[in-house]
Amino acid sequence: MKITALAGGVGGARFLRGLLAAAPDANVTVIGNVGDDITLHGLRVCPDLDTVMYTLGGGIHEGQGWGRAGETFSVADELAEYGVGPDWFTLGDRDIATHLVRTQMLDAGYPLSAVTEALCARWKPGVRLLPATDDRAETHVVLRDEEGKRQAVHFQEYWVRMHAPDAESIVFVGAEKAQPAPGVLEAVAEADVVLFPPSNPVVSIGAVLAVPGIREALAATAAPVVGLSPIIGSAPVRGMADKVLAAVGVAETSAAAVAEYYGPNLLDGWLIDESDAKQAERIEAAGISCRAVPLLMRDVDATAAMAQAALDLAAESRS
Ligand code: GDP
Ligand code: CA
């Protein structure tokens, strides 16, 4: 079975680990978010691609969900002694090695997709990891300061330094001119099943969908497209999905509101948490098959059960 999944960082990576446990023989392609990518100290950093790679490759800091296990921070300490910022984004020593390899290859002219493949040769994540695009398409968040002046900041600064204040809008800078990376459209067209993990619908999945052609390919694919809600009750399980949903005009934070935001043109099926079962009727009325199952990724077994439920719903949607 060919499974293609879109993915952000922590939520996407943890889900994918469950998916590989549920479907060990599947051929999985992951279309990863590059909207979070940023250049720091001259190094190209791809947080979401690295989170997927480290998580599936066994190198992740488990408690944190991102960054390397057993990390040290000598470089960051030295930079601080020089007073060289930004001080709000800490790069660990081990992680820096990844960014050095990436930056060196990019500077030599390799596209990000080839660089990612080279990094994955070490980590062997068990999936084919593709960036959504080889082009630069970075997510910026538009804010209004106290005097009412507009300011756009990189998503990393919004999230890591500013801790996600209310936002006015989200801009995927450069996305309109970006092209899907090699293999992305084929992975959608040739899939037996397409999955949306419980990643952030705006700044993770939404940033992937902002690359022209990907949304169209998803709408056109013969494969059932099934997603899992990152919202349980009236809040994201973690992170700032509520803030960025509001910035794209989704005022209500709920599993049903996210399903309606994606819409029946993209989604054939949507899994919601069992505690939100009441919303199933509304989602079905929107033309999307819905099931309520436990959606907390407590451990790999619980996450594998979620992935299996998504595959089951996909199989139903196909027949
Ligand atoms: P990021 O790039 O690291 O923010 O990761 P993603 O975009 O892939 O995933 C973030 C989303 O995962 C957040 O909106 C969370 O609500 C969601 N999430 C995290 N843990 C869980 C979980 O256990 N269950 C569900 N349903 N969603 C989760
Ligand atoms: Ca991210």
Side-chain angles (χ1 to χ4, degrees), residues 4-18:
T4 296
L6 275 51
V10 180
R14 286 196 171 148
F15 173 76
L16 290 167
R17 188 155 57 177

Side-chain angles (χ1 to χ4, degrees), residues 295-314:
L295 281 194
L296 266 184
M297 298 192 280
R298 277 197 193 87
D299 51 35
V300 176
D301 285 350
T303 311
M306 286 166 54
Q308 189 57 54
L311 294 174
D312 292 345
L313 184 54

Side-chain angles (χ1 to χ4, degrees), residues 159-186:
W159 171 229
V160 182
R161 182 176 78 79
M162 305 175 97
H163 306 296
D166 288 340
E168 191 169 277
S169 60
I170 310 291
V171 185
F172 302 110
V173 180
E176 68 288 347
K177 278 184 272 151
Q179 288 184 354
V184 166
L185 297 182
E186 293 79 0

Side-chain angles (χ1 to χ4, degrees), residues 8-10 33 36 47-48 155-156 203-204:
V10 180
N33 173 37
D36 291 17
D48 283 3
F155 172 72
Q156 292 297 343
V203 294
S204 292

Side-chain angles (χ1 to χ4, degrees), residues 215-307:
R215 181 184 286 274
E216 293 75 7
L218 285 162
T221 185
V225 179
V226 171
L228 298 92
S229 178
I231 311 289
I232 297 179
S234 56
V237 179
R238 51 188 273 177
M240 47 33 229
D242 48 336
K243 293 289 175 60
V244 290
L245 278 166
V248 296
V250 181
E252 176 193 322
T253 307
S254 70
V258 176
E260 289 164 355
Y261 175 64
Y262 285 135
N265 204 22
L266 278 183
L267 285 182
D268 298 298
W270 187 240
L271 291 181
I272 60 177
D273 186 68
E274 52 188 352
S275 63
D276 291 324
K278 291 188 306 298
Q279 296 175 34
E281 214 175 317
R282 171 175 157 197
I283 294 161
E284 296 254 347
I288 299 166
S289 299
C290 182
R291 298 287 178 276
V293 297
L295 281 194
L296 266 184
M297 298 192 280
R298 277 197 193 87
D299 51 35
V300 176
D301 285 350
T303 311
M306 286 166 54

